[in-house]
Amino acid sequence: MNLKNLLIAMSITLWFVSCQSGLSEADKGEYLERGKKIAAATAESMLAEVGKNMKEGGVAQAVPFCNIHADGLTTEMAQQNGVSIKRTSHLLRNEKNAPNSREQEIIAQFQKLQAEKQELSPVVEQNEDGTVQFYAPIKLAQKCTVCHGVLGETLTQTNDSIIKIIYPKDQAIGFKEGDLRAIWSIQFPKK
Ligand code: HEC
C-alpha cells in the first residue's frame, strides 16, 4: 500500500470509529465512575432525610416530606455536580418522574436481564446533541418496602391510604426486596 492509500485507509478507519461512538473507553469509564458516585450520594442524602422524618413522624410525615422535598434534593445534588439527575420508573408514584422513550428502553432491558437472573450494570452512552447519559438500576431495599412494598404484607393499608391521598394514581407498590424499582438517568453536559 502506498502512503496516500494508507492515509486514506487510516482516515476512513478513524472516521468510522468516531461515528460508532463519540466516547472513548477511557471517557466511558470516567462517566461511569462519576455517575455511580453522584447516584450514590443522591440516594444517601435522600435516605438520610427520609429516615429522619420516618423517625419523627412515620410514613404520615415522611411521605409529605418526599412530596415537597424530593425534587429539591435531586436538583441540589445536580447543581453541585453540574449535571441533571432524574429517577424514573415503569411504575410511577409521581407522574413528574415519567420516563422518555430511551429511558423506557433501558428499563425494559434491565427488566429482561433481571428476569434472566443476570447482573444489572450501569450504562453510559452519548446523546445526539453530544451530552452524555448515565443509566443505572435502582433496586428495592428492604427499608423501602414500608412505602413501596406488597399491600397487606410489607405495605400496610394505613400507609397505602396515606400515600394515595397525595398520589391518587400511585403505581409504585407491590415491590419485593431486590426488584427493579426504577433507574437513575443522569445527564452530563458536552465536554
Ligand atoms: C416514607 C415513604 C417512602 C420510603 C421509605 C421510600 N419511598 Fe420512594 N417515594 C416515596 C414518595 C412519596 C415518592 C414520590 C416523591 C415525589 O413526589 O417526587 C417516592 C418516589 C420514589 C421514586 C421516584 C419515581 C416515582 O415513582 O415517582 C423512586 C425511584 C423511589 N421512590 C425509590 C425508593 C427506594 C429505592 C426506596 C428505598 C431505598 C424508597 N423509595 C423509599 C416514598 C417513599
Side-chain angles (χ1 to χ4, degrees):
M1 201 186 280
N2 66 29
L3 187 62
K4 191 176 154 209
N5 284 349
L6 183 68
L7 283 175
I8 290 171
M10 273 170 65
S11 50
I12 288 174
T13 312
L14 273 177
W15 171 81
F16 186 70
V17 168
S18 63
C19 282
Q20 286 275 303
S21 161
L23 292 176
S24 65
E25 284 307 307
D27 280 344
K28 270 196 180 171
E30 190 192 311
Y31 284 115
L32 267 180
E33 285 317 304
R34 284 180 64 198
K36 282 192 221 168
K37 274 196 190 136
I38 295 169
T42 309
E44 198 182 311
S45 87
M46 283 183 150
L47 275 177
E49 293 294 332
V50 171
K52 206 172 81 190
N53 280 276
M54 281 290 284
K55 249 195 192 150
E56 281 173 20
V59 167
Q61 178 175 324
V63 167
F65 173 86
C66 287
N67 177 245
I68 299 167
H69 296 288
D71 230 25
L73 276 174
T74 33
T75 311
E76 202 180 299
M77 288 303 287
Q79 280 168 355
Q80 273 177 28
N81 289 283
V83 296
S84 74
I85 304 177
K86 183 173 170 188
R87 291 182 314 157
T88 184
S89 177
H90 48 302
L91 292 170
L92 289 171
R93 178 150 293 168
N94 188 336
E95 289 172 322
K96 273 199 215 156
N97 300 323
N100 63 29
S101 57
R102 185 59 188 143
E103 287 162 346
Q104 279 172 2
E105 286 170 6
I106 298 281
I107 292 169
Q109 270 179 30
F110 282 150
Q111 282 178 311
K112 188 167 170 277
L113 287 173
Q114 198 175 43
E116 291 165 358
K117 308 236 178 302
Q118 296 201 49
E119 210 177 305
L120 312 185
S121 318
V123 174
V124 166
E125 37 183 58
Q126 190 158 37
N127 298 318
E128 272 176 23
D129 64 2
T131 57
V132 173
Q133 206 76 26
F134 166 92
Y135 303 100
I138 301 178
K139 286 198 183 176
L140 202 83
Q142 201 266 328
K143 62 186 160 210
C144 322
T145 55
V146 64
C147 295
H148 295 292
V150 179
L151 189 59
E153 291 178 26
T154 43
L155 169 66
T156 64
Q157 292 286 351
T158 314
N159 286 345
D160 186 55
S161 321
I162 295 169
I163 292 165
K164 295 294 188 278
I165 296 171
I166 305 183
Y167 304 95
K169 292 190 198 156
D170 178 37
Q171 295 181 301
I173 67 167
F175 293 95
K176 296 204 174 86
E177 187 179 352
D179 282 353
L180 181 71
R181 161 71 183 94
I183 60 165
W184 292 101
S185 179
I186 299 178
Q187 190 172 98
F188 295 91
K190 274 194 272 191
K191 260 194 181 169

